[in-house]
Amino acid sequence: MSFPATRLRRLRMDARLRDLVRETELSPARLIYPLFVGPGRGVRDEIPSMPGQRRYALDTLVEEARAAEADGVRAVILFGIPEKKDEQASGAWAEDGIVQRALRALRESVPGMLRFTDVCLCEYTSHGHCGVVQGNRVANDPTLELLAKTAVSHARAGADLVAPSDMMDGRVGAVRRALDEAGFPDLPILSYAAKYASAFYGPFRDAAQSTPSFGDRRSHQMDPANREEAMREIALDLEEGADVVMVKPALPYLDVLREARTRFDAPLAAYQVSGEYALITAAAERGWVDRRAVALESLLAIRRAGATFIVTYFAREAARWLSQERGK
Ligand code: PBG
Protein backbone atom coordinates (compact mmCIF):
# COMPACT_ATOMS: atom_id res chain seq x y z
CA MET A 1 0.00 0.00 0.00
CA SER A 2 1.31 3.39 -0.80
CA PHE A 3 0.11 6.94 -1.24
CA PRO A 4 -2.67 8.00 -1.03
CA ALA A 5 -3.76 5.06 1.19
CA THR A 6 -0.62 5.29 3.25
CA ARG A 7 -0.04 8.67 4.86
CA LEU A 8 2.66 8.55 7.52
CA ARG A 9 1.76 12.07 8.55
CA ARG A 10 -1.50 10.81 10.12
CA LEU A 11 0.33 9.73 13.27
CA ARG A 12 2.37 12.93 13.41
CA MET A 13 -0.47 15.44 13.51
CA ASP A 14 -1.33 15.27 17.19
CA ALA A 15 1.22 15.41 20.04
CA ARG A 16 -0.61 12.64 21.94
CA LEU A 17 -0.45 10.34 18.94
CA ARG A 18 3.21 11.13 18.47
CA ASP A 19 3.81 10.19 22.11
CA LEU A 20 1.88 6.97 21.62
CA VAL A 21 4.00 5.69 18.76
CA ARG A 22 7.38 6.97 19.91
CA GLU A 23 9.96 4.17 19.66
CA THR A 24 12.64 5.50 21.99
CA GLU A 25 12.35 7.05 25.41
CA LEU A 26 14.83 9.17 27.31
CA SER A 27 14.54 9.38 31.06
CA PRO A 28 16.72 10.55 33.96
CA ALA A 29 17.06 6.93 35.11
CA ARG A 30 19.18 6.29 31.98
CA LEU A 31 21.76 9.01 32.63
CA ILE A 32 25.04 8.82 34.56
CA TYR A 33 26.64 12.06 35.72
CA PRO A 34 30.48 12.27 35.62
CA LEU A 35 32.05 14.27 38.44
CA PHE A 36 35.67 15.36 38.96
CA VAL A 37 36.94 15.44 42.50
CA GLY A 38 40.23 16.83 43.73
CA PRO A 39 41.92 18.33 46.78
CA GLY A 40 40.94 21.37 48.82
CA ARG A 41 37.76 22.75 50.33
CA GLY A 42 35.00 24.79 48.80
CA VAL A 43 36.43 24.27 45.31
CA ARG A 44 34.11 24.70 42.31
CA ASP A 45 36.57 25.51 39.55
CA GLU A 46 35.01 25.62 36.16
CA ILE A 47 36.83 23.52 33.56
CA PRO A 48 37.69 26.04 30.83
CA SER A 49 37.06 23.70 27.90
CA MET A 50 33.82 22.36 29.47
CA PRO A 51 31.80 25.40 30.59
CA GLY A 52 29.25 24.33 33.19
CA GLN A 53 31.38 21.40 34.41
CA ARG A 54 33.54 21.83 37.49
CA ARG A 55 36.27 20.36 39.58
CA TYR A 56 34.96 19.77 43.10
CA ALA A 57 36.52 19.13 46.49
CA LEU A 58 34.93 16.63 48.89
CA ASP A 59 32.53 19.13 50.44
CA THR A 60 31.37 20.68 47.17
CA LEU A 61 31.15 17.24 45.55
CA VAL A 62 28.59 16.27 48.14
CA GLU A 63 26.65 19.47 47.46
CA GLU A 64 26.69 18.86 43.71
CA ALA A 65 25.59 15.24 44.12
CA ARG A 66 22.72 16.36 46.34
CA ALA A 67 21.62 18.97 43.82
CA ALA A 68 21.86 16.41 41.01
CA GLU A 69 19.77 13.98 43.04
CA ALA A 70 17.14 16.68 43.51
CA ASP A 71 17.11 17.12 39.73
CA GLY A 72 16.44 13.39 39.25
CA VAL A 73 19.94 11.99 38.61
CA ARG A 74 20.39 8.55 40.20
CA ALA A 75 24.03 7.70 39.48
CA VAL A 76 27.37 9.46 39.33
CA ILE A 77 30.72 8.26 38.02
CA LEU A 78 33.75 9.64 39.83
CA PHE A 79 37.07 10.79 38.38
CA GLY A 80 39.87 11.67 40.79
CA ILE A 81 42.48 14.37 40.54
CA PRO A 82 45.11 13.43 43.11
CA GLU A 83 47.40 15.86 44.90
CA LYS A 84 50.48 13.92 43.88
CA LYS A 85 51.18 11.67 40.93
CA ASP A 86 53.88 9.02 40.69
CA GLU A 87 55.08 6.18 38.46
CA GLN A 88 53.07 3.53 40.33
CA ALA A 89 49.85 5.58 40.38
CA SER A 90 49.68 5.05 44.12
CA GLY A 91 46.91 7.66 44.43
CA ALA A 92 44.65 5.35 42.43
CA TRP A 93 44.61 2.53 44.99
CA ALA A 94 45.51 4.28 48.25
CA GLU A 95 42.97 3.74 51.00
CA ASP A 96 42.83 7.49 51.57
CA GLY A 97 42.98 8.30 47.83
CA ILE A 98 40.73 11.06 46.59
CA VAL A 99 38.14 8.76 44.99
CA GLN A 100 38.09 6.48 48.04
CA ARG A 101 37.42 9.49 50.27
CA ALA A 102 34.78 10.80 47.88
CA LEU A 103 33.03 7.42 47.93
CA ARG A 104 32.86 7.42 51.71
CA ALA A 105 31.61 11.03 51.78
CA LEU A 106 28.87 10.27 49.26
CA ARG A 107 27.87 7.04 50.98
CA GLU A 108 27.51 8.98 54.20
CA SER A 109 25.84 12.16 52.90
CA VAL A 110 24.00 11.23 49.68
CA PRO A 111 23.19 7.55 50.27
CA GLY A 112 20.48 7.39 47.61
CA MET A 113 22.90 8.15 44.78
CA LEU A 114 24.52 5.20 42.99
CA ARG A 115 28.32 5.50 43.09
CA PHE A 116 30.23 4.35 40.01
CA THR A 117 34.00 4.74 39.62
CA ASP A 118 36.28 5.00 36.63
CA VAL A 119 39.15 2.56 37.11
CA CYS A 120 42.26 3.76 35.28
CA LEU A 121 45.73 4.93 36.19
CA CYS A 122 46.15 7.88 33.80
CA GLU A 123 45.00 10.50 36.30
CA TYR A 124 47.47 9.17 38.87
CA THR A 125 50.68 8.49 36.95
CA SER A 126 53.36 11.17 36.68
CA HIS A 127 53.63 10.47 32.93
CA GLY A 128 49.87 10.46 32.35
CA HIS A 129 49.78 6.97 30.84
CA CYS A 130 47.08 4.44 31.68
CA GLY A 131 49.50 1.94 33.18
CA VAL A 132 52.98 1.01 34.25
CA VAL A 133 55.53 2.30 31.74
CA GLN A 134 58.49 0.06 30.90
CA GLY A 135 60.92 1.50 28.39
CA ASN A 136 58.65 3.56 26.18
CA ARG A 137 55.66 1.28 26.49
CA VAL A 138 52.65 0.77 28.66
CA ALA A 139 53.26 -2.73 30.04
CA ASN A 140 50.05 -4.75 29.96
CA ASP A 141 50.37 -7.44 32.64
CA PRO A 142 52.01 -5.40 35.42
CA THR A 143 49.24 -2.83 34.93
CA LEU A 144 46.53 -5.44 35.54
CA GLU A 145 47.65 -5.90 39.10
CA LEU A 146 47.36 -2.19 39.88
CA LEU A 147 43.99 -1.91 38.18
CA ALA A 148 42.68 -4.84 40.21
CA LYS A 149 44.01 -3.27 43.39
CA THR A 150 42.34 0.03 42.48
CA ALA A 151 38.99 -1.64 41.82
CA VAL A 152 39.11 -3.51 45.14
CA SER A 153 39.93 -0.32 47.04
CA HIS A 154 36.96 1.39 45.37
CA ALA A 155 34.75 -1.52 46.39
CA ARG A 156 35.94 -1.29 50.00
CA ALA A 157 35.24 2.46 50.04
CA GLY A 158 31.66 1.94 48.86
CA ALA A 159 31.54 1.83 45.07
CA ASP A 160 28.31 0.32 43.68
CA LEU A 161 29.96 -0.48 40.33
CA VAL A 162 33.47 -0.21 38.90
CA ALA A 163 34.27 0.79 35.33
CA PRO A 164 37.73 -0.11 33.98
CA SER A 165 38.61 2.36 31.22
CA ASP A 166 42.27 1.57 30.57
CA MET A 167 41.93 -0.85 27.60
CA MET A 168 44.64 -3.28 28.78
CA ASP A 169 44.04 -6.83 27.55
CA GLY A 170 42.57 -9.10 30.20
CA ARG A 171 41.68 -6.40 32.68
CA VAL A 172 38.03 -7.31 33.10
CA GLY A 173 39.02 -10.85 34.11
CA ALA A 174 41.73 -9.55 36.45
CA VAL A 175 39.33 -7.10 38.11
CA ARG A 176 36.58 -9.75 38.37
CA ARG A 177 38.90 -12.26 40.05
CA ALA A 178 40.26 -9.68 42.48
CA LEU A 179 36.77 -8.49 43.44
CA ASP A 180 35.57 -12.06 43.98
CA GLU A 181 38.59 -12.89 46.12
CA ALA A 182 38.13 -9.74 48.19
CA GLY A 183 34.52 -10.66 48.96
CA PHE A 184 32.70 -8.57 46.36
CA PRO A 185 31.22 -11.21 44.03
CA ASP A 186 28.08 -9.12 43.56
CA LEU A 187 29.75 -5.87 42.55
CA PRO A 188 29.09 -5.27 38.83
CA ILE A 189 31.70 -4.31 36.23
CA LEU A 190 30.94 -1.82 33.49
CA SER A 191 33.69 -2.31 30.96
CA TYR A 192 34.77 0.48 28.63
CA ALA A 193 34.93 -2.32 26.06
CA ALA A 194 35.10 -0.40 22.78
CA LYS A 195 37.04 2.68 23.76
CA TYR A 196 38.57 4.47 20.81
CA ALA A 197 41.78 6.50 20.64
CA SER A 198 39.70 9.63 20.11
CA ALA A 199 40.52 13.32 19.81
CA PHE A 200 37.17 13.95 21.52
CA TYR A 201 38.75 13.36 24.96
CA GLY A 202 40.74 16.61 24.83
CA PRO A 203 38.68 18.63 27.34
CA PHE A 204 38.61 15.70 29.81
CA ARG A 205 42.39 15.56 29.78
CA ASP A 206 42.49 19.28 30.62
CA ALA A 207 40.14 18.63 33.51
CA ALA A 208 41.94 15.56 34.84
CA GLN A 209 45.43 16.77 33.89
CA SER A 210 45.97 13.39 32.28
CA THR A 211 47.47 14.21 28.89
CA PRO A 212 50.38 11.79 28.39
CA SER A 213 53.75 13.54 28.70
CA PHE A 214 55.05 11.55 25.71
CA GLY A 215 53.39 9.48 23.01
CA ASP A 216 49.66 8.80 22.88
CA ARG A 217 47.15 6.08 23.72
CA ARG A 218 47.05 4.31 20.38
CA SER A 219 48.88 1.25 21.69
CA HIS A 220 45.82 0.31 23.75
CA GLN A 221 42.78 2.39 22.75
CA MET A 222 41.08 1.35 19.52
CA ASP A 223 41.67 2.63 16.01
CA PRO A 224 38.67 4.83 15.03
CA ALA A 225 38.63 3.03 11.67
CA ASN A 226 37.56 -0.31 13.17
CA ARG A 227 34.10 -1.59 13.88
CA GLU A 228 34.54 -5.36 13.68
CA GLU A 229 37.37 -5.18 16.19
CA ALA A 230 35.00 -3.48 18.62
CA MET A 231 32.80 -6.59 18.47
CA ARG A 232 35.80 -8.73 19.44
CA GLU A 233 36.58 -6.42 22.36
CA ILE A 234 32.98 -6.62 23.56
CA ALA A 235 32.81 -10.40 23.20
CA LEU A 236 36.04 -10.86 25.15
CA ASP A 237 34.97 -8.51 27.95
CA LEU A 238 31.65 -10.32 28.32
CA GLU A 239 33.50 -13.65 28.47
CA GLU A 240 35.77 -12.24 31.16
CA GLY A 241 32.75 -11.27 33.23
CA ALA A 242 31.71 -7.74 32.28
CA ASP A 243 28.11 -7.03 33.30
CA VAL A 244 27.72 -4.00 31.03
CA VAL A 245 29.84 -3.08 28.02
CA MET A 246 30.39 0.46 26.82
CA VAL A 247 31.10 2.20 23.53
CA LYS A 248 33.00 5.48 23.74
CA PRO A 249 32.72 8.16 22.34
CA ALA A 250 29.03 8.07 21.50
CA LEU A 251 27.70 10.30 18.73
CA PRO A 252 30.58 9.77 16.25
CA TYR A 253 30.33 6.00 16.89
CA LEU A 254 26.59 5.34 16.59
CA ASP A 255 27.25 2.63 14.00
CA VAL A 256 29.37 0.74 16.54
CA LEU A 257 26.63 1.04 19.13
CA ARG A 258 24.03 -0.19 16.70
CA GLU A 259 26.15 -3.12 15.61
CA ALA A 260 26.81 -4.08 19.23
CA ARG A 261 23.10 -3.86 20.00
CA THR A 262 22.20 -6.28 17.24
CA ARG A 263 24.98 -8.75 18.08
CA PHE A 264 24.91 -8.89 21.90
CA ASP A 265 22.13 -9.13 24.42
CA ALA A 266 24.00 -7.54 27.35
CA PRO A 267 23.21 -4.06 28.65
CA LEU A 268 25.08 -1.54 26.54
CA ALA A 269 26.32 1.83 27.73
CA ALA A 270 27.55 4.81 25.73
CA TYR A 271 29.78 7.65 26.87
CA GLN A 272 28.98 11.06 25.42
CA VAL A 273 32.49 12.38 26.03
CA SER A 274 33.96 15.74 26.93
CA GLY A 275 34.58 16.82 23.34
CA GLU A 276 31.00 16.07 22.39
CA TYR A 277 29.85 18.19 25.33
CA ALA A 278 32.29 20.96 24.36
CA LEU A 279 31.08 21.11 20.75
CA ILE A 280 27.45 21.54 21.73
CA THR A 281 28.30 23.99 24.50
CA ALA A 282 30.49 26.17 22.28
CA ALA A 283 27.96 26.36 19.47
CA ALA A 284 25.16 27.11 21.92
CA GLU A 285 27.20 29.87 23.60
CA ARG A 286 27.47 31.54 20.21
CA GLY A 287 23.76 31.25 19.69
CA TRP A 288 24.27 28.93 16.73
CA VAL A 289 22.31 26.01 18.15
CA ASP A 290 19.76 25.57 20.93
CA ARG A 291 21.65 23.90 23.79
CA ARG A 292 18.71 22.09 25.27
CA ALA A 293 17.25 20.87 22.00
CA VAL A 294 20.59 19.71 20.59
CA ALA A 295 21.66 18.01 23.81
CA LEU A 296 18.38 16.13 24.19
CA GLU A 297 18.30 15.16 20.53
CA SER A 298 21.87 13.81 20.77
CA LEU A 299 21.01 11.77 23.85
CA LEU A 300 17.89 10.42 22.18
CA ALA A 301 19.93 9.47 19.10
CA ILE A 302 22.41 7.59 21.29
CA ARG A 303 19.55 5.69 22.92
CA ARG A 304 17.93 5.00 19.55
CA ALA A 305 21.20 3.57 18.22
CA GLY A 306 21.13 1.06 21.04
CA ALA A 307 22.46 2.46 24.31
CA THR A 308 20.72 1.16 27.41
CA PHE A 309 22.10 4.09 29.39
CA ILE A 310 24.39 7.05 28.77
CA VAL A 311 27.25 8.63 30.66
CA THR A 312 26.89 12.35 29.93
CA TYR A 313 27.98 15.71 31.28
CA PHE A 314 24.46 16.89 30.43
CA ALA A 315 22.99 14.44 32.96
CA ARG A 316 21.95 16.96 35.57
CA GLU A 317 20.54 19.49 33.11
CA ALA A 318 18.90 16.80 31.01
CA ALA A 319 17.23 15.27 34.07
CA ARG A 320 15.81 18.70 34.87
CA TRP A 321 14.69 19.30 31.27
CA LEU A 322 13.05 15.89 31.06
CA SER A 323 11.08 16.34 34.24
CA GLN A 324 9.94 19.77 33.03
CA GLU A 325 8.73 18.16 29.82
CA ARG A 326 6.85 15.50 31.72
CA GLY A 327 5.26 18.14 33.92
CA LYS A 328 3.81 19.95 30.89
C1 PBG B 1 40.51 7.38 31.46
C2 PBG B 1 39.32 8.07 30.90
C3 PBG B 1 39.31 9.06 29.93
C4 PBG B 1 37.99 9.40 29.73
C5 PBG B 1 37.23 8.62 30.59
N1 PBG B 1 38.06 7.79 31.27
C6 PBG B 1 40.44 9.75 29.27
C7 PBG B 1 41.26 9.08 28.25
O1 PBG B 1 41.06 7.92 27.92
O2 PBG B 1 42.19 9.75 27.81
C8 PBG B 1 37.51 10.46 28.77
C9 PBG B 1 36.14 10.96 29.02
C10 PBG B 1 35.80 12.21 28.30
O3 PBG B 1 36.48 12.67 27.36
O4 PBG B 1 34.78 12.77 28.68
N2 PBG B 1 40.57 7.57 32.85
Side-chain angles (χ1 to χ4, degrees), residues 76-287:
V76 297
I77 181 163
L78 299 177
F79 295 93
I81 303 152
E83 222 147 346
K84 285 199 217 96
K85 306 189 184 218
D86 57 37
E87 301 244 311
Q88 290 297 308
S90 53
W93 37 269
E95 213 208 302
D96 63 346
I98 186 68
V99 165
Q100 289 78 357
R101 290 163 67 197
L103 285 166
R104 290 191 287 263
L106 290 175
R107 181 170 57 186
E108 171 78 24
S109 305
V110 200
M113 184 68 87
L114 275 173
R115 300 170 297 270
F116 294 6
T117 61
D118 181 87
V119 175
C120 191
L121 306 183
C122 66
E123 294 122 78
Y124 305 90
T125 49
S126 37
H127 42 65
H129 279 292
C130 306
V132 177
V133 170
Q134 288 174 352
N136 258 338
R137 294 187 154 204
V138 179
N140 196 88
D141 300 8
T143 300
L144 298 183
E145 229 171 281
L146 297 184
L147 290 167
K149 220 161 133 172
T150 302
V152 168
S153 80
H154 289 175
R156 292 205 172 106
D160 294 304
L161 170 152
V162 292
S165 69
D166 52 284
M167 289 298 278
M168 295 301 112
D169 286 321
R171 90 267 204 219
V172 173
V175 166
R176 183 70 272 159
R177 270 190 302 281
L179 288 172
D180 291 354
E181 279 165 21
F184 298 100
D186 294 327
L187 195 84
I189 297 175
L190 158 60
S191 160
Y192 286 68
K195 176 174 177 177
Y196 286 88
S198 170
F200 283 88
Y201 309 150
F204 174 97
R205 292 182 190 168
D206 291 346
Q209 296 147 8
S210 65
T211 305
S213 58
F214 62 90
D216 53 42
R217 306 217 202 286
R218 282 184 288 186
S219 81
H220 44 290
Q221 297 182 349
M222 282 186 54
D223 184 340
N226 298 352
R227 184 174 55 220
E228 288 305 319
E229 189 189 355
M231 302 306 120
R232 295 185 73 192
E233 284 283 5
I234 291 170
L236 285 170
D237 284 4
L238 289 171
E239 270 171 42
E240 288 177 33
D243 301 282
V244 186
V245 284
M246 184 147 77
V247 172
K248 172 187 175 192
L251 210 57
Y253 294 82
L254 291 185
D255 60 316
V256 180
L257 261 176
R258 185 68 218 153
E259 185 76 28
R261 180 67 295 151
T262 56
R263 291 218 215 163
F264 300 95
D265 52 13
L268 188 59
Y271 198 139
Q272 183 185 47
V273 301
S274 57
E276 298 179 67
Y277 176 85
L279 295 185
I280 295 173
T281 299
E285 275 184 352
R286 289 173 190 207

